């Protein structure tokens, strides 16, 4: 604390003579003087400096910056404007008059500093000269300078109509607003205490460490020895205070606040600066919305590429470091540098990538178990009694699956489909469904623990969002009515309860209408499937004719995907319109997020729900088919079951959706940026492009999505739904999700680092409303998987047959030998002469036995045609129905009990973290007290030394 106290009380140094500079070889950029913490002199000669150098134990860097405490002069806009010529600057701009030292040319030419090479650019505003909002900008910029921000203007090299406004926050402004914003800054390095270990545990740890010596040295960890910039200062932090500045670790005032924090402070100021007379004429967001400024963004920290290797020459900047250790494809298998991501992009984006990395890591066990279930189906395929009977049933003739053009077919013709069905619908499917339901709960519970650790490490535990500004749209609509804000005590626009209810009703009606449109689209797909299956059955190509049902399903899925993407794009604007007008931006984002998710979830999964729970369930039976509009016969399942249709639907939609999303996320910005670079090369040549300053390079990049991280979260949440909701029908879904996410992390990283402008560093404690949506999907997944197993798959009918009707009935066994005769028992008999006229096939089936067929078979549990009640339900049908309902109830209650038990057993906060937080709170109080006590003692000694002593002093 003595060191930090001395830094806060830096003595005033008189100008040093030129001879002294030559003797000490003073650096042109800064003068580094090594002094004792307790030196308190106003005049320093060189003998005292040399004596101090011999006795010093700690280093203090004092930068001679006579301009640092001087406010920027009051200038009009024209005097601040300079043409974008980086090679010819005035003498005043080329030399900084700080004790006559020259500033390195590198700071001038890298586009990160003002023309003086000293003031770092913290924020960029962009406008056009031709814009008519000149008066508002002038008032806004005058008020910016009044707040203490320094400003400089530069015209674009590519377009003289574009003007860049460069903003810099001096130390005094940063300190003032950092205190107002409660920015937490480091003030003491952490001290860790080792827990007491028993001898037995020490021996085990030694054996484990000896075994680890034979293994690779943490291949997924980032190499911090080669990349030392990844090291974070592990310090205690406290809200910044100018009165207690001596408590904080300040090696250099220019780097004490990192670039992300500086940009956040400047943005905070810009949001509170007036641009016009009036109560609500305030803030940068309003100027961006009315077109006064075209863009506003913080700068990237230079180029992300370098001619030199990062391992031999180090990283040139944090952007370069992020590209090499995060966005590069060569490090796809390594962990993400979350601390560096947070340092560069802020906590909100850092939390997104932390959640995405955690979700991807948790997919590994799910993908492994899903692959195991699939391989189990592959290994047991030759031993499956049901698929054997299907493949050997050459004498069983099935009824046509459509009117007229569909022929009779042997059951053995569906042998391949029966085998494929067994790969996904086998004895391990139920176990996997239970596992995935539990996995979803474990994933969410452990994410809460992981989030707590991240929040502690990033100083988010005690952080609370500041009072948000009112949205301009809300303000414009409800400015006539006002009431007192209970927090700020100021009058603000007020929305009446009746108006809020009416807008809520309109919003809900709009979303309901859009969902109805989605259902209508699904209905259209159903009609397409019904009509097309007959068309494909009469097709001239034998390949399509013999696989008419598969061709129908495949084309229907592709058309459905196109409709899904079209509706997503079309209705996005409508959802914005139907979103009610909340008071703040975060309330609007939550409302928009919920509505957009509901629409896209229904749009993406409605056809999947139809195939899983309605396809082939309400078709009637031969001779009495149910029809749409009394015209089209409803589609039936394949003789091997409906699960193969569900697998095709999920596989195709999942692959196409992920491919399309990856293209739109990276391919579209790449094409746009390539086109911009191409136009610049055509107009100015390749050499001029390389001389563009950083602000112009960033301006030519794509801005971040207007909805922030909404699209990134939405894509992953919808994928999470696909991975959990119908996972019982498609066990490979977690594996596909895992492979996609490994690519997704690097695509998002590459996009953020290279293709997008640097987003404003925002703070957040968690992932917001998305966590509640994830919990809702977890609950829904239990219900849907129970119905998929009970209704869509043949698990329950096989179980009932094995225990009640098969060879092992009453013996309590259910092996493969107990399934002998299952296929014949699951098929009913139909008299061909009972066909309706419009359903009667064109062929009479004489190609099978040489004479017209009298009977055919179909999937159902019905009485034969000559029974007292022809085609009535058999007793086996009611047994299967009762077993299905019982399974759904037992499965749901069992899984929900397991989920709640896991939630109860796993605490939200790890015990060691709770202990660390308590100890840190105690140590912070002790350190603050000791530092304050030490400061008071030093002040007392100084007063005694100066002859100023007071009675009854404390301490």
């Amino acid at each position: 604390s003595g060191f930090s106290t001395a830094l806060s009380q830096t003595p005033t140094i008189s100008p040093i003579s030129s001879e002294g500079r030559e003797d000490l070889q003073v650096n042109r950029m800064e003068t580094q003087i090594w002094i004792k913490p307790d030196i308190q002199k106003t005049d320093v000669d060189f003998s005292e400096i040399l004596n101090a150098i011999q006795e010093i134990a700690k280093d203090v860097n004092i930068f001679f910056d006579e301009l640092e405490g001087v406010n920027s002069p009051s200038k009009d806009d024209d005097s601040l404007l300079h043409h974008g010529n980086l090679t010819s600057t005035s003498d005043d701009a080329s030399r900084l008059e700080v004790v006559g030292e020259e500033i390195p040319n590198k700071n001038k030419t890298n586009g990160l500093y003002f023309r003086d090479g000293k003031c770092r650019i913290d924020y960029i505003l962009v406008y056009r000269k031709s814009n008519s909002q000149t008066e508002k900008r002038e008032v806004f910029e005058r008020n910016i300078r009044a707040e203490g921000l320094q400003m400089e203007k530069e015209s674009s090299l590519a377009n003289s109509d574009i003007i860049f406004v460069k903003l810099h926050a001096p130390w005094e402004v940063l300190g003032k607003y950092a205190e107002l914003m409660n920015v937490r800054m480091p003030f003491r390095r952490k001290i860790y205490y080792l827990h007491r270990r028993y001898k037995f545990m020490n021996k085990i740890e030694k054996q484990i460490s000896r075994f680890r010596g034979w293994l690779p040295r943490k291949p997924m960890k980032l190499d911090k020895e080669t990349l030392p910039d990844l090291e974070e200062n592990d310090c205690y932090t406290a809200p910044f205070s100018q009165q207690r500045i001596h408590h904080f670790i300040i090696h250099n005032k220019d780097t004490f606040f990192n670039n992300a924090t500086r940009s956040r402070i400047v943005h905070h100021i810009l949001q509170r600066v007036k641009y016009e007379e009036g109560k609500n004429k305030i803030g940068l967001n309003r100027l961006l919305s009315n077109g006064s400024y075209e863009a506003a963004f913080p700068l990237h920290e230079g180029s992300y590429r370098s001619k030199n290797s990062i391992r031999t020459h180090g990283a040139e900047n944090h952007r370069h470091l992020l590209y090499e250790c995060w966005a590069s494809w060569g490090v796809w298998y390594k962990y993400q540098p979350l601390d560096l991501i947070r340092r560069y992009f802020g906590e909100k984006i850092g939390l997104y990538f932390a959640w995405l990395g955690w979700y991807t890591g948790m997919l590994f066990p799910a993908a492994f178990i899903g692959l195991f279930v699939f391989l189990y189906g592959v290994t047991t395929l030759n031993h499956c009694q049901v698929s054997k009977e299907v493949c050997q049933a050459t004498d069983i003739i099935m009824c046509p699956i459509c009117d007229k053009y569909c022929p009779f077919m042997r059951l053995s013709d569906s042998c391949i489909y029966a085998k494929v069905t067994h790969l996904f619908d086998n004895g391990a499917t139920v176990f996997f469904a239970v596992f995935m339901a539990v996995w979803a709960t474990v994933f969410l519970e452990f994410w809460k623990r992981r989030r707590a650790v991240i929040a502690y490490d990033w100083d988010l535990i005690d952080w609370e969002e500041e009072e948000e500004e009112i949205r301009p749209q809300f303000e414009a609509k409800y400015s006539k009515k006002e009431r007192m804000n209970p927090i700020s005590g100021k009058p603000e626009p007020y929305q009446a309860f009746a108006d809020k209810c009416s807008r809520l009703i309109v919003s809900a009606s709009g979303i309901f209408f859009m969902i109805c449109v989605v259902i209508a689209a699904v209905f259209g797909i159903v009609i397409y499937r019904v009509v097309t299956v007959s068309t494909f059955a009469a097709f001239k190509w034998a390949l399509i004719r013999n696989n008419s049902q598969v061709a129908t399903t495949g084309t229907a899925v592709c058309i459905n995907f196109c409709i899904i993407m079209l509706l997503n794009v079309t209705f996005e604007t409508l959802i914005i319109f139907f979103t009610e007008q909340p008071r703040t931006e975060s309330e609007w984002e939550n409302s928009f997020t919920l509505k957009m998710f509901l629409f896209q979830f229904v749009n993406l999964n409605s056809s999947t729900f139809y195939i899983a729970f309605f396809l082939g369930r309400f078709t009637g039976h031969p001779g009495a088919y149910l029809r749409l509009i009394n015209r089209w016969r409803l589609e039936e399942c394949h003789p091997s079951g409906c699960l193969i249709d569900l697998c095709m639907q999920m596989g195709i939609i999942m692959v196409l959706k992920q491919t399309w999303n990856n293209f739109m996320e990276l391919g579209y910005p790449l094409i746009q940026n390539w086109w911009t670079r191409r136009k610049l090369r055509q107009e100015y040549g390749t050499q001029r492009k390389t001389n563009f300053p950083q602000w112009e390079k960033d301006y030519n990049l794509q801005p971040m999505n207007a909805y922030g991280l909404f699209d990134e979260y939405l894509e992953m949440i919808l994928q999470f739904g696909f991975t959990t909701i119908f996972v019982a029908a498609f066990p490979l879904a977690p594996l596909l999700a895992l492979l996609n996410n490994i690519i997704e992390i690097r695509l998002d990283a590459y996009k953020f680092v290279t293709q997008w402008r640097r987003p404003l560093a925002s703070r957040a404690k968690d992932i917001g409303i998305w966590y509640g949506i994830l919990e809702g999907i977890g609950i829904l997944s239990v219900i849907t998987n129970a119905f998929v197993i009970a209704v869509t798959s043949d698990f329950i009918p096989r179980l009932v047959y094995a225990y009640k009707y098969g060879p092992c009935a009453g013996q309590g066994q259910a092996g493969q030998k107990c399934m002998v005769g299952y296929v014949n028992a699951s098929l009913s008999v139909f008299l061909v002469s009972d066909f309706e006229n419009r359903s009667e096939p064109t062929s009479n089936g004489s190609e099978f036995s040489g004479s017209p067929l009298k009977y055919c078979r179909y999937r159902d549990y019905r009485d034969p045609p000559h029974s007292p009640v022809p085609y009535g339900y058999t007793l086996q049908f009611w047994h299967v129905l009762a077993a299905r309902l019982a399974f759904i109830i037992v499965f749901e209650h069992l899984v929900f009990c397991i989920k709640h038990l896991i939630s109860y057993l796993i605490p939200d906060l790890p015990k060691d973290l709770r202990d660390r937080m308590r100890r840190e709170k105690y140590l912070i109080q002790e350190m603050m007290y000791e530092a304050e006590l030490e400061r008071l003692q030093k002040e007392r000694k100084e007063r005694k030394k100066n002859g100023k002593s007071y009675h009854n002093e404390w301490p």
Side-chain angles (χ1 to χ4, degrees):
S1 63
F3 156 63
S4 55
T5 304
L7 182 59
S8 66
Q9 300 172 351
T10 304
T12 303
I13 310 292
S14 60
I16 303 173
S17 64
S18 59
E19 297 176 357
R21 291 196 194 94
E22 294 176 359
D23 294 338
L24 289 179
Q25 297 178 352
V26 179
N27 185 280
R28 289 187 175 185
M29 176 64 184
E30 60 189 27
T31 302
Q32 190 176 53
I33 298 179
W34 302 60
I35 62 175
K36 281 186 178 181
D38 56 352
I39 291 180
Q40 301 291 334
K41 295 186 178 181
T42 57
D43 295 324
V44 179
D45 56 16
F46 289 101
S47 60
E48 292 175 339
I49 293 176
L50 294 174
N51 293 332
I53 291 174
Q54 296 174 0
E55 299 176 3
I56 190 64
K58 298 181 180 179
D59 58 317
V60 179
N61 295 331
I62 300 179
F63 295 92
F64 292 87
D65 187 2
E66 294 180 356
L67 300 181
E68 186 178 58
V70 181
N71 292 332
S72 59
S74 178
K75 300 180 180 179
D76 58 10
D77 292 338
D78 294 335
S79 63
L80 288 173
L81 179 60
H82 294 262
H83 296 288
N85 188 353
L86 298 176
T87 58
S88 61
T89 56
S90 63
D91 294 337
D92 294 336
S94 63
R95 297 181 64 86
L96 180 63
E97 296 181 358
V98 181
V99 291
E101 297 169 346
E102 294 183 2
I103 300 304
N105 291 328
K106 182 179 179 181
N107 285 356
K108 298 182 191 177
T109 57
N110 62 8
L112 300 176
Y113 291 83
F114 278 17
R115 285 180 300 276
D116 58 15
K118 180 64 177 177
C119 298
R120 188 178 186 91
I121 299 173
D122 296 321
Y123 212 81
I124 291 289
L125 303 177
V126 186
Y127 70 89
R128 292 182 180 270
K129 287 182 182 178
S130 56
N131 189 282
S132 60
Q133 306 283 349
T134 306
E135 185 177 352
K136 292 180 180 179
R137 282 197 308 270
E138 289 179 352
V139 174
F140 186 71
E141 290 169 7
R142 275 202 304 271
N143 291 333
I144 288 175
R145 291 195 293 271
E147 289 289 336
L149 296 180
Q150 297 178 8
M151 184 185 303
E152 202 172 66
K153 291 190 178 182
E154 198 93 25
S155 61
S156 171
L157 294 175
N159 186 351
S160 59
D161 187 44
I162 297 177
I163 304 298
F164 295 96
V165 181
K166 299 175 285 186
L167 301 178
H168 167 76
W171 169 259
E172 291 78 9
V173 176
L174 292 173
K176 172 186 174 183
Y177 280 95
E179 186 172 357
L180 291 175
M181 296 169 63
N182 288 323
V183 177
R184 298 182 70 91
M185 301 303 295
F187 75 94
R188 186 71 62 89
R189 294 189 65 84
K190 291 184 179 179
I191 302 173
Y192 293 101
Y193 295 90
L194 297 176
H195 296 287
R196 182 179 178 183
R197 299 282 184 180
Y198 294 99
K199 293 182 179 180
F200 177 73
M201 295 299 296
N202 287 334
K203 291 181 180 179
I204 294 179
E205 289 180 356
K206 288 180 180 179
Q207 296 296 329
I208 293 175
S209 61
R210 185 179 301 176
F211 174 72
R212 284 177 177 173
W214 298 91
L215 300 176
R217 297 276 181 175
K218 298 181 179 179
M220 298 177 71
K221 291 282 187 180
L222 292 166
D223 189 359
K224 293 187 178 182
E225 294 180 0
T226 310
L227 306 175
D229 289 333
L230 289 177
E231 293 288 350
E232 283 288 321
N233 289 328
D234 202 3
C235 301
Y236 294 117
T237 61
F240 182 77
S241 172
Q242 290 183 311
Q243 293 181 351
R244 297 183 176 182
I245 193 173
H246 51 277
H247 292 173
F248 296 91
I249 304 173
I250 306 178
H251 298 296
N252 184 350
K253 287 184 178 181
D254 291 337
T255 58
F256 178 62
F257 296 104
N258 60 36
N259 296 331
T261 304
R262 296 173 68 99
S263 300
R264 187 156 54 89
I265 291 174
V266 173
H267 182 78
H268 177 87
I269 297 172
L270 296 178
Q271 291 296 91
R272 286 154 180 80
V273 172
K274 282 196 172 185
Y275 60 86
E276 206 173 57
E277 289 300 326
K279 180 176 56 177
N280 301 318
K281 307 297 184 179
I282 184 173
L284 176 62
N285 284 348
R286 290 180 174 86
L287 291 176
L288 289 171
S289 61
N290 64 28
S292 298
Y293 287 101
E294 190 171 296
F297 53 89
L299 284 181
H300 278 296
E301 297 180 7
S303 175
Y304 63 89
R305 293 185 183 275
S306 175
K307 297 179 181 178
N308 303 317
S309 172
I310 192 173
R311 298 191 176 276
T312 57
H313 292 74
E316 294 189 357
N317 51 65
H318 285 157
R319 188 187 186 194
H320 179 213
L321 184 60
L322 277 171
Y323 178 78
E324 292 291 338
C325 70
W326 182 46
S328 175
W329 287 106
V331 294
W332 65 270
Y333 60 93
K334 289 186 177 292
Y335 292 128
Q336 300 182 89
L338 294 178
D339 290 331
L340 188 59
I341 298 170
R342 171 244 184 171
R343 186 199 305 173
Y344 194 82
F345 292 111
E347 287 80 1
K348 193 170 187 178
I349 294 176
L351 269 172
Y352 163 71
F353 282 103
W355 175 84
L356 180 57
W358 183 258
Y359 171 47
T360 304
M362 289 292 290
L363 279 173
F364 274 96
F368 176 77
I369 299 297
L371 183 61
F372 170 79
V373 171
F374 179 78
L375 294 178
Y376 173 80
V378 173
T379 55
T380 59
L381 184 60
N382 295 329
H383 306 286
C384 177
Q385 180 64 30
V386 176
S387 58
K388 281 182 181 180
E389 291 186 1
V390 171
C391 294
Q392 296 171 1
T394 57
D395 57 337
I396 297 179
I397 308 301
M398 302 297 295
C399 297
I401 58 175
C402 66
D403 292 339
K404 293 189 176 297
Y405 299 107
C406 291
F408 295 98
M409 59 179 294
R410 287 190 174 92
L411 180 60
S412 58
D413 293 342
S414 61
C415 176
I416 295 177
Y417 303 110
K419 291 182 178 180
V420 173
T421 302
H422 177 74
L423 299 180
F424 302 100
D425 184 13
N426 51 63
T429 303
V430 178
F431 160 76
F432 186 59
V434 175
F435 170 81
M436 286 303 296
V438 174
W439 173 86
T441 302
V442 172
F443 161 66
L444 294 176
E445 292 300 320
F446 276 96
W447 163 246
K448 285 195 288 187
R449 294 166 61 88
R450 174 63 176 158
R451 187 208 62 83
V453 173
I454 292 175
Y456 169 78
D457 291 337
W458 292 356
D459 291 322
L460 299 172
I461 294 292
D462 299 324
W463 178 77
E464 295 293 339
E465 292 189 37
E466 59 188 26
E467 181 68 14
E468 288 190 79
E469 296 180 356
I470 300 174
R471 297 181 71 240
Q473 296 88 338
F474 181 88
E475 197 171 58
K477 189 173 182 63
Y478 302 106
S479 58
K480 295 181 180 179
K481 293 184 179 180
E482 292 185 347
R483 73 172 182 180
M484 196 68 66
N485 187 316
I487 298 175
S488 64
K490 298 178 181 179
E492 65 177 25
Y494 167 67
Q495 183 182 11
F497 179 76
D499 183 77
K500 186 181 296 185
C501 290
S502 62
R503 286 200 62 88
L504 190 62
I505 294 172
V506 171
S507 175
S509 303
I511 299 299
F512 179 75
F513 165 75
M514 287 185 281
I515 291 176
C516 290
V517 172
V518 172
I519 295 175
V522 174
F523 185 76
I525 295 295
V526 172
I527 295 177
Y528 168 83
R529 295 172 66 105
V530 170
V531 173
T532 310
V533 68
S534 300
T535 305
F536 283 154
F539 213 73
K540 60 180 180 179
W541 293 350
L543 180 63
I544 295 179
R545 186 172 60 251
N546 296 334
N547 299 277
S548 59
Q549 201 163 13
V550 176
T552 300
T553 301
T555 55
V557 172
C558 293
I559 294 173
N560 183 35
F561 174 76
C562 295
I563 294 175
I564 287 172
M565 303 312 298
L566 182 63
L567 290 177
N568 283 346
V569 174
T570 305
F571 283 167
E572 182 174 338
T573 306
L574 286 177
I575 290 176
I576 296 175
F577 174 77
F578 283 120
T579 301
E580 60 270 13
Q581 292 286 355
R583 175 178 166 273
T584 63
E585 196 67 31
S586 62
E587 292 175 358
W588 185 90
E589 287 181 2
N590 289 340
S591 178
F592 173 75
T593 297
L594 184 60
K595 292 176 176 58
M596 194 69 179
F597 167 76
L598 285 175
F599 168 74
Q600 292 217 16
F601 180 81
V602 173
N603 189 25
L604 185 65
N605 294 286
S606 54
S607 57
T608 310
F609 270 89
Y610 164 75
I611 293 175
F613 305 127
F614 297 98
L615 179 63
R617 307 285 172 234
F618 310 101
T619 58
H621 63 86
Y625 287 117
L626 298 179
R627 298 178 179 273
L628 284 175
I629 322 176
N630 198 28
R631 180 177 179 181
W632 293 297
R633 170 182 164 184
L634 288 174
E635 187 182 5
E636 291 187 40
C637 290
H638 197 272
S640 297
C642 295
L643 201 66
I644 188 66
D645 296 277
L646 184 58
C647 291
M648 288 182 62
Q649 173 81 12
M650 291 190 63
I652 295 175
I653 290 291
M654 200 168 185
V655 172
L656 291 179
K657 186 78 164 61
Q658 292 176 350
T659 304
W660 175 259
N661 287 337
N662 290 336
F663 170 76
M664 292 302 295
E665 283 189 6
L666 185 62
Y668 186 65
L670 275 173
I671 293 173
Q672 285 184 315
N673 291 333
W674 169 81
W675 184 255
T676 302
R677 291 193 300 268
R678 181 176 178 273
K679 289 194 299 183
L680 292 175
R681 282 196 301 267
Q682 290 177 348
E683 294 180 12
Y684 302 99
T686 56
Q687 289 299 114
R688 191 66 179 272
K689 170 67 174 64
T690 59
N691 293 330
F692 282 162
Q694 188 63 44
W695 56 80
E696 194 143 0
K697 293 178 182 177
D698 287 4
Y699 176 71
N700 290 328
L701 296 177
Q702 297 303 308
M704 189 177 176
N705 192 299
Y707 310 125
L709 293 169
F710 171 79
D711 287 339
E712 278 71 23
Y713 273 117
L714 180 64
E715 177 188 355
M716 290 295 102
I717 300 299
L718 291 175
Q719 183 206 84
F720 179 80
F722 250 84
T723 306
T724 55
I725 292 179
F726 295 104
V727 74
F730 192 57
L732 293 180
L735 180 62
L736 293 179
L738 174 63
L739 296 177
N740 175 79
N741 286 8
I742 292 174
I743 300 173
E744 179 75 21
I745 290 176
R746 304 304 160 182
L747 284 181
D748 283 349
Y750 185 83
K751 175 179 62 179
F752 271 92
V753 174
T754 68
Q755 301 303 310
W756 278 3
R757 296 173 191 164
R758 186 176 183 177
L760 182 69
S762 303
R763 306 201 83 190
K765 294 181 68 171
D766 49 34
I767 61 176
I769 194 175
W770 295 109
Y771 185 84
I773 293 174
L774 285 170
E775 286 187 323
I777 291 176
I779 294 173
L780 180 63
S781 66
V782 177
I783 301 172
T784 53
N785 281 305
F787 275 88
V788 166
I789 296 172
V791 177
T792 310
S793 74
D794 287 338
F795 175 76
I796 298 300
R798 292 176 187 175
L799 210 60
V800 171
Y801 178 81
Y803 283 101
K804 183 68 177 177
Y805 297 96
C808 305
Q811 300 178 13
Q813 299 179 8
Q816 290 297 325
K817 63 179 182 180
C818 301
M819 299 303 298
V820 175
Y822 167 76
V823 172
N824 185 61
S826 63
L827 299 175
S828 299
V829 179
F830 177 72
L831 186 62
V832 174
S833 59
D834 291 341
F835 267 123
E836 300 173 300
N837 291 331
R838 53 182 172 177
S839 299
E840 189 173 357
T842 54
S843 65
N844 57 8
S846 57
E847 64 272 15
F848 295 105
S849 59
S851 59
L853 285 176
K854 293 184 178 180
Y855 300 97
C856 63
R857 310 292 293 273
Y858 61 98
R859 281 174 56 93
D860 209 342
Y861 297 100
R862 292 183 180 271
D863 293 324
H866 302 295
S867 62
V869 183
Y871 308 118
Y873 287 117
T874 62
L875 183 62
Q876 188 175 355
F877 168 83
W878 299 108
H879 285 163
V880 170
L881 179 62
R884 282 173 168 167
L885 295 177
F887 175 83
I888 291 172
I889 295 173
V890 172
F891 181 89
E892 288 182 356
H893 283 71
L894 176 64
V895 174
F896 278 132
C897 287
I898 295 175
K899 286 170 67 72
H900 288 302
L901 180 63
I902 292 175
S903 301
Y904 174 76
L905 293 178
I906 300 177
D908 295 344
L909 205 63
K911 184 179 183 302
D912 60 336
L913 177 60
R914 187 183 295 109
D915 294 340
R916 285 166 59 191
M917 291 170 58
R918 291 174 179 173
R919 177 160 184 80
E920 178 176 333
K921 186 176 181 180
Y922 167 77
L923 289 177
I924 287 175
Q925 293 174 349
E926 292 292 320
M927 289 175 185
M928 298 291 281
Y929 172 76
E930 291 174 3
E932 190 69 21
L933 186 63
E934 191 171 353
R935 184 183 67 84
L936 293 174
Q937 289 174 345
K938 283 180 179 280
E939 290 179 356
R940 181 183 178 187
K941 289 180 182 179
E942 291 170 8
R943 286 196 297 268
K944 286 183 178 180
K945 195 179 295 184
N946 296 331
K948 298 179 181 179
S949 59
Y950 301 95
H951 298 288
N952 301 324
E953 290 185 2
W954 184 89

